[in-house]
Amino acid sequence: MAPTAAAAPTGGSNAADTVKTLRDMGYNAQPQRTLVSGPLAQCIATGVHGLANDATWTVFTTAYVDISCPVE
């Protein structure tokens, strides 16, 4: 069964959790950092792009996670 966009994480959550959730759903989740500093677990997901709907989902769908990390 294909995942639905509504079940996928959206912006504002922990970036590492967002990437893990998407990968668990079968997506190839690719973090897109705007500020690169610190580990992914200390970053926030600011948006998710490329989520497929039920009609177009395939096993190898890539989702892009916009990430903002604290500046150290």
PDB file of all heavy atoms in Angstrom, residues 2 4 6 14 18 23 25-26 32-33 35 37 39 44 47 52-54 56 59-60 65 70-72:
ATOM      1  N   ALA A   2       0.545   2.223  -0.787  1.00  0.00           N
ATOM      2  CA  ALA A   2       1.337   3.441  -0.903  1.00  0.00           C
ATOM      3  C   ALA A   2       1.073   4.381   0.257  1.00  0.00           C
ATOM      4  O   ALA A   2      -0.037   4.486   0.757  1.00  0.00           O
ATOM      5  CB  ALA A   2       0.982   4.141  -2.211  1.00  0.00           C
ATOM      6  N   THR A   4       0.523   7.992   2.079  1.00  0.00           N
ATOM      7  CA  THR A   4      -0.159   9.197   1.647  1.00  0.00           C
ATOM      8  C   THR A   4       0.596  10.403   2.153  1.00  0.00           C
ATOM      9  O   THR A   4       1.259  10.357   3.179  1.00  0.00           O
ATOM     10  CB  THR A   4      -1.606   9.254   2.183  1.00  0.00           C
ATOM     11  OG1 THR A   4      -1.549   9.259   3.597  1.00  0.00           O
ATOM     12  CG2 THR A   4      -2.421   8.076   1.694  1.00  0.00           C
ATOM     13  N   ALA A   6      -0.546  12.948   3.539  1.00  0.00           N
ATOM     14  CA  ALA A   6      -1.081  13.383   4.824  1.00  0.00           C
ATOM     15  C   ALA A   6      -0.395  12.685   5.987  1.00  0.00           C
ATOM     16  O   ALA A   6      -0.293  13.221   7.075  1.00  0.00           O
ATOM     17  CB  ALA A   6      -2.587  13.138   4.876  1.00  0.00           C
ATOM     18  N   ASN A  14      11.789  17.711  14.264  1.00  0.00           N
ATOM     19  CA  ASN A  14      13.192  17.351  14.315  1.00  0.00           C
ATOM     20  C   ASN A  14      13.601  16.765  12.967  1.00  0.00           C
ATOM     21  O   ASN A  14      12.934  15.876  12.435  1.00  0.00           O
ATOM     22  CB  ASN A  14      13.404  16.339  15.448  1.00  0.00           C
ATOM     23  CG  ASN A  14      14.823  15.862  15.532  1.00  0.00           C
ATOM     24  OD1 ASN A  14      15.225  14.995  14.771  1.00  0.00           O
ATOM     25  ND2 ASN A  14      15.578  16.425  16.453  1.00  0.00           N
ATOM     26  N   THR A  18      12.279  13.362  11.002  1.00  0.00           N
ATOM     27  CA  THR A  18      11.571  13.516   9.731  1.00  0.00           C
ATOM     28  C   THR A  18      12.187  12.625   8.658  1.00  0.00           C
ATOM     29  O   THR A  18      11.478  11.905   7.948  1.00  0.00           O
ATOM     30  CB  THR A  18      11.589  14.987   9.280  1.00  0.00           C
ATOM     31  OG1 THR A  18      10.948  15.779  10.279  1.00  0.00           O
ATOM     32  CG2 THR A  18      10.891  15.174   7.946  1.00  0.00           C
ATOM     33  N   ARG A  23      12.012   7.650   5.398  1.00  0.00           N
ATOM     34  CA  ARG A  23      12.699   6.428   4.953  1.00  0.00           C
ATOM     35  C   ARG A  23      11.918   5.189   5.366  1.00  0.00           C
ATOM     36  O   ARG A  23      11.826   4.224   4.602  1.00  0.00           O
ATOM     37  CB  ARG A  23      14.123   6.409   5.482  1.00  0.00           C
ATOM     38  CG  ARG A  23      14.989   7.428   4.757  1.00  0.00           C
ATOM     39  CD  ARG A  23      16.406   7.458   5.246  1.00  0.00           C
ATOM     40  NE  ARG A  23      17.170   8.421   4.449  1.00  0.00           N
ATOM     41  CZ  ARG A  23      18.325   8.928   4.811  1.00  0.00           C
ATOM     42  NH1 ARG A  23      18.896   8.543   5.942  1.00  0.00           N
ATOM     43  NH2 ARG A  23      18.935   9.801   4.040  1.00  0.00           N
ATOM     44  N   MET A  25       8.815   5.011   5.519  1.00  0.00           N
ATOM     45  CA  MET A  25       7.659   4.967   4.624  1.00  0.00           C
ATOM     46  C   MET A  25       8.041   4.509   3.220  1.00  0.00           C
ATOM     47  O   MET A  25       7.180   4.344   2.362  1.00  0.00           O
ATOM     48  CB  MET A  25       6.999   6.348   4.552  1.00  0.00           C
ATOM     49  CG  MET A  25       6.348   6.792   5.849  1.00  0.00           C
ATOM     50  SD  MET A  25       5.787   8.520   5.788  1.00  0.00           S
ATOM     51  CE  MET A  25       4.509   8.397   4.541  1.00  0.00           C
ATOM     52  N   GLY A  26       9.355   4.331   2.967  1.00  0.00           N
ATOM     53  CA  GLY A  26       9.794   3.867   1.656  1.00  0.00           C
ATOM     54  C   GLY A  26      10.371   4.941   0.763  1.00  0.00           C
ATOM     55  O   GLY A  26      10.748   4.669  -0.378  1.00  0.00           O
ATOM     56  N   GLN A  32      18.225  18.600   2.712  1.00  0.00           N
ATOM     57  CA  GLN A  32      18.702  19.773   1.975  1.00  0.00           C
ATOM     58  C   GLN A  32      18.969  20.865   3.004  1.00  0.00           C
ATOM     59  O   GLN A  32      18.063  21.592   3.385  1.00  0.00           O
ATOM     60  CB  GLN A  32      17.641  20.238   0.966  1.00  0.00           C
ATOM     61  CG  GLN A  32      17.179  19.169   0.004  1.00  0.00           C
ATOM     62  CD  GLN A  32      18.271  18.749  -0.948  1.00  0.00           C
ATOM     63  OE1 GLN A  32      18.894  19.571  -1.602  1.00  0.00           O
ATOM     64  NE2 GLN A  32      18.519  17.450  -1.010  1.00  0.00           N
ATOM     65  N   ARG A  33      20.194  20.976   3.471  1.00  0.00           N
ATOM     66  CA  ARG A  33      20.518  21.932   4.540  1.00  0.00           C
ATOM     67  C   ARG A  33      20.743  23.328   3.963  1.00  0.00           C
ATOM     68  O   ARG A  33      21.460  23.505   2.993  1.00  0.00           O
ATOM     69  CB  ARG A  33      21.771  21.493   5.281  1.00  0.00           C
ATOM     70  CG  ARG A  33      21.596  20.200   6.035  1.00  0.00           C
ATOM     71  CD  ARG A  33      22.855  19.864   6.779  1.00  0.00           C
ATOM     72  NE  ARG A  33      22.738  18.513   7.326  1.00  0.00           N
ATOM     73  CZ  ARG A  33      23.293  18.138   8.466  1.00  0.00           C
ATOM     74  NH1 ARG A  33      24.006  18.982   9.169  1.00  0.00           N
ATOM     75  NH2 ARG A  33      23.142  16.914   8.901  1.00  0.00           N
ATOM     76  N   LEU A  35      21.644  25.879   6.293  1.00  0.00           N
ATOM     77  CA  LEU A  35      22.773  26.261   7.138  1.00  0.00           C
ATOM     78  C   LEU A  35      23.392  24.969   7.645  1.00  0.00           C
ATOM     79  O   LEU A  35      22.764  24.225   8.385  1.00  0.00           O
ATOM     80  CB  LEU A  35      22.307  27.113   8.326  1.00  0.00           C
ATOM     81  CG  LEU A  35      21.697  28.465   7.999  1.00  0.00           C
ATOM     82  CD1 LEU A  35      21.152  29.112   9.262  1.00  0.00           C
ATOM     83  CD2 LEU A  35      22.727  29.383   7.354  1.00  0.00           C
ATOM     84  N   SER A  37      25.603  23.113   9.943  1.00  0.00           N
ATOM     85  CA  SER A  37      26.332  23.188  11.195  1.00  0.00           C
ATOM     86  C   SER A  37      25.690  22.229  12.183  1.00  0.00           C
ATOM     87  O   SER A  37      24.480  22.250  12.367  1.00  0.00           O
ATOM     88  CB  SER A  37      26.296  24.615  11.748  1.00  0.00           C
ATOM     89  OG  SER A  37      26.958  24.686  12.980  1.00  0.00           O
ATOM     90  N   PRO A  39      25.060  18.258  14.073  1.00  0.00           N
ATOM     91  CA  PRO A  39      24.446  17.006  13.617  1.00  0.00           C
ATOM     92  C   PRO A  39      22.983  17.203  13.219  1.00  0.00           C
ATOM     93  O   PRO A  39      22.307  18.122  13.687  1.00  0.00           O
ATOM     94  CB  PRO A  39      24.566  16.085  14.830  1.00  0.00           C
ATOM     95  CG  PRO A  39      24.725  16.987  15.991  1.00  0.00           C
ATOM     96  CD  PRO A  39      25.369  18.241  15.492  1.00  0.00           C
ATOM     97  N   ILE A  44      16.204  21.392  12.428  1.00  0.00           N
ATOM     98  CA  ILE A  44      14.745  21.400  12.282  1.00  0.00           C
ATOM     99  C   ILE A  44      14.396  21.248  10.800  1.00  0.00           C
ATOM    100  O   ILE A  44      15.009  21.884   9.943  1.00  0.00           O
ATOM    101  CB  ILE A  44      14.151  22.730  12.806  1.00  0.00           C
ATOM    102  CG1 ILE A  44      14.450  22.904  14.284  1.00  0.00           C
ATOM    103  CG2 ILE A  44      12.655  22.831  12.527  1.00  0.00           C
ATOM    104  CD1 ILE A  44      13.811  21.872  15.178  1.00  0.00           C
ATOM    105  N   GLY A  47      10.574  22.027   5.784  1.00  0.00           N
ATOM    106  CA  GLY A  47       9.634  21.675   4.728  1.00  0.00           C
ATOM    107  C   GLY A  47       9.985  20.331   4.117  1.00  0.00           C
ATOM    108  O   GLY A  47      11.109  19.867   4.247  1.00  0.00           O
ATOM    109  N   ALA A  52       4.827  11.868  -3.011  1.00  0.00           N
ATOM    110  CA  ALA A  52       3.942  11.381  -4.071  1.00  0.00           C
ATOM    111  C   ALA A  52       2.537  11.153  -3.527  1.00  0.00           C
ATOM    112  O   ALA A  52       2.363  10.908  -2.337  1.00  0.00           O
ATOM    113  CB  ALA A  52       4.486  10.070  -4.631  1.00  0.00           C
ATOM    114  N   ASN A  53       1.577  11.247  -4.405  1.00  0.00           N
ATOM    115  CA  ASN A  53       0.221  10.867  -3.999  1.00  0.00           C
ATOM    116  C   ASN A  53       0.027   9.391  -4.318  1.00  0.00           C
ATOM    117  O   ASN A  53       0.877   8.758  -4.923  1.00  0.00           O
ATOM    118  CB  ASN A  53      -0.832  11.754  -4.674  1.00  0.00           C
ATOM    119  CG  ASN A  53      -0.836  11.624  -6.175  1.00  0.00           C
ATOM    120  OD1 ASN A  53      -0.579  10.555  -6.715  1.00  0.00           O
ATOM    121  ND2 ASN A  53      -1.110  12.714  -6.867  1.00  0.00           N
ATOM    122  N   ASP A  54      -1.061   8.818  -3.902  1.00  0.00           N
ATOM    123  CA  ASP A  54      -1.297   7.381  -4.080  1.00  0.00           C
ATOM    124  C   ASP A  54      -1.233   6.934  -5.529  1.00  0.00           C
ATOM    125  O   ASP A  54      -0.827   5.820  -5.816  1.00  0.00           O
ATOM    126  CB  ASP A  54      -2.651   6.986  -3.500  1.00  0.00           C
ATOM    127  CG  ASP A  54      -2.645   6.998  -1.983  1.00  0.00           C
ATOM    128  OD1 ASP A  54      -1.571   6.993  -1.374  1.00  0.00           O
ATOM    129  OD2 ASP A  54      -3.742   7.001  -1.413  1.00  0.00           O
ATOM    130  N   THR A  56       0.718   8.008  -7.972  1.00  0.00           N
ATOM    131  CA  THR A  56       2.019   8.049  -8.634  1.00  0.00           C
ATOM    132  C   THR A  56       3.148   7.457  -7.800  1.00  0.00           C
ATOM    133  O   THR A  56       4.279   7.430  -8.229  1.00  0.00           O
ATOM    134  CB  THR A  56       2.401   9.502  -8.985  1.00  0.00           C
ATOM    135  OG1 THR A  56       2.504  10.258  -7.764  1.00  0.00           O
ATOM    136  CG2 THR A  56       1.394  10.137  -9.910  1.00  0.00           C
ATOM    137  N   VAL A  59       8.294   2.688  -5.200  1.00  0.00           N
ATOM    138  CA  VAL A  59       9.192   2.331  -4.099  1.00  0.00           C
ATOM    139  C   VAL A  59      10.385   3.279  -4.022  1.00  0.00           C
ATOM    140  O   VAL A  59      10.905   3.546  -2.961  1.00  0.00           O
ATOM    141  CB  VAL A  59       9.664   0.869  -4.260  1.00  0.00           C
ATOM    142  CG1 VAL A  59      10.696   0.514  -3.216  1.00  0.00           C
ATOM    143  CG2 VAL A  59       8.475  -0.078  -4.176  1.00  0.00           C
ATOM    144  N   PHE A  60      10.823   3.826  -5.143  1.00  0.00           N
ATOM    145  CA  PHE A  60      12.035   4.614  -5.169  1.00  0.00           C
ATOM    146  C   PHE A  60      11.793   6.118  -5.251  1.00  0.00           C
ATOM    147  O   PHE A  60      12.626   6.870  -5.730  1.00  0.00           O
ATOM    148  CB  PHE A  60      12.931   4.158  -6.322  1.00  0.00           C
ATOM    149  CG  PHE A  60      13.295   2.713  -6.212  1.00  0.00           C
ATOM    150  CD1 PHE A  60      12.716   1.776  -7.032  1.00  0.00           C
ATOM    151  CD2 PHE A  60      14.196   2.292  -5.252  1.00  0.00           C
ATOM    152  CE1 PHE A  60      13.048   0.432  -6.919  1.00  0.00           C
ATOM    153  CE2 PHE A  60      14.530   0.951  -5.126  1.00  0.00           C
ATOM    154  CZ  PHE A  60      13.953   0.018  -5.964  1.00  0.00           C
ATOM    155  N   VAL A  65      13.979  17.031   2.100  1.00  0.00           N
ATOM    156  CA  VAL A  65      13.657  17.639   3.390  1.00  0.00           C
ATOM    157  C   VAL A  65      14.503  18.889   3.533  1.00  0.00           C
ATOM    158  O   VAL A  65      15.738  18.816   3.600  1.00  0.00           O
ATOM    159  CB  VAL A  65      13.941  16.653   4.544  1.00  0.00           C
ATOM    160  CG1 VAL A  65      13.556  17.281   5.877  1.00  0.00           C
ATOM    161  CG2 VAL A  65      13.209  15.330   4.329  1.00  0.00           C
ATOM    162  N   PRO A  70      21.254  25.061  13.642  1.00  0.00           N
ATOM    163  CA  PRO A  70      21.741  26.217  14.405  1.00  0.00           C
ATOM    164  C   PRO A  70      23.166  26.568  13.993  1.00  0.00           C
ATOM    165  O   PRO A  70      23.972  25.686  13.656  1.00  0.00           O
ATOM    166  CB  PRO A  70      21.702  25.730  15.851  1.00  0.00           C
ATOM    167  CG  PRO A  70      21.735  24.248  15.778  1.00  0.00           C
ATOM    168  CD  PRO A  70      21.073  23.888  14.484  1.00  0.00           C
ATOM    169  N   VAL A  71      23.453  27.835  13.976  1.00  0.00           N
ATOM    170  CA  VAL A  71      24.803  28.299  13.655  1.00  0.00           C
ATOM    171  C   VAL A  71      25.617  28.269  14.930  1.00  0.00           C
ATOM    172  O   VAL A  71      25.210  28.820  15.950  1.00  0.00           O
ATOM    173  CB  VAL A  71      24.760  29.731  13.069  1.00  0.00           C
ATOM    174  CG1 VAL A  71      26.171  30.219  12.788  1.00  0.00           C
ATOM    175  CG2 VAL A  71      23.921  29.759  11.816  1.00  0.00           C
ATOM    176  N   GLU A  72      26.743  27.596  14.888  1.00  0.00           N
ATOM    177  CA  GLU A  72      27.594  27.495  16.071  1.00  0.00           C
ATOM    178  C   GLU A  72      28.722  28.479  16.011  1.00  0.00           C
ATOM    179  O   GLU A  72      29.198  28.856  15.022  1.00  0.00           O
ATOM    180  CB  GLU A  72      28.134  26.072  16.224  1.00  0.00           C
ATOM    181  CG  GLU A  72      27.021  25.093  16.471  1.00  0.00           C
ATOM    182  CD  GLU A  72      27.545  23.665  16.646  1.00  0.00           C
ATOM    183  OE1 GLU A  72      28.768  23.445  16.662  1.00  0.00           O
ATOM    184  OE2 GLU A  72      26.702  22.786  16.760  1.00  0.00           O
TER     185      GLU A  72
END
